[in-house]
Amino acid sequence: MHELGIIVHVIRTVEEVGEENHLTEVRSVTCEIGEVSGVVPEYLTDCWQYARRKSELLKDSELKIEILPGVTVCEDCGKTYSTVKYAKQCPYCESYATHLVQGNGFSIKEIEGA
């Protein structure tokens, strides 16, 4: 389960940002997760519930998750389409000359603190 490692990294990053900005508490952390990133949101939430309690700054915080859709572009026809629905083959021209342009990343989007 790599989600625990991700959460440990997120918490360390948020604590550093909190220290730099003199925060006394973090109310929420919003993360963007790509639809095809391999990160399981439910596992991430479970790990957050465990790990946040070990941080004074984050102990009462909420993890918010936004899913970014997987989008693939076809190099032959130039159209984009849903990666999850159609995978590697373009639904417009049936080409396999495609590549993922969005949806495999992970980032901290927002930290709400006081």
Side-chain angles (χ1 to χ4, degrees):
M1 176 188 316
H2 66 285
E3 284 80 3
L4 183 56
I6 292 169
I7 286 299
V8 168
H9 178 72
V10 168
I11 287 175
R12 285 183 186 152
T13 301
V14 172
E15 287 176 334
E16 289 172 9
V17 170
E19 186 176 322
E20 291 170 5
N21 291 279
H22 310 291
L23 298 179
T24 57
E25 71 173 308
V26 171
R27 294 185 183 121
S28 69
V29 175
T30 303
C31 291
E32 291 180 323
I33 301 172
E35 185 177 35
V36 293
S37 67
V39 176
V40 180
E42 294 80 16
Y43 293 171
L44 206 63
T45 301
D46 289 347
C47 292
W48 180 264
Q49 294 304 322
Y50 166 76
R52 72 182 170 115
R53 293 185 185 121
K54 298 187 178 303
S55 169
E56 189 61 34
L57 186 64
L58 291 142
K59 66 181 179 183
D60 296 319
S61 64
E62 173 188 8
L63 177 65
K64 298 178 181 179
I65 296 174
E66 296 179 4
I67 304 296
L68 292 177
V71 177
T72 297
V73 66
C74 177
E75 294 176 15
D76 289 340
C77 72
K79 294 183 180 178
T80 60
Y81 62 90
S82 167
T83 305
V84 171
K85 186 171 182 180
Y86 297 105
K88 182 85 175 133
Q89 186 177 21
C90 176
Y92 301 104
C93 71
E94 298 184 357
S95 171
Y96 283 95
T98 60
H99 64 272
L100 186 68
V101 292
Q102 176 187 296
N104 66 339
F106 179 95
S107 66
I108 299 171
K109 179 182 179 185
E110 183 176 67
I111 300 167
E112 180 187 355

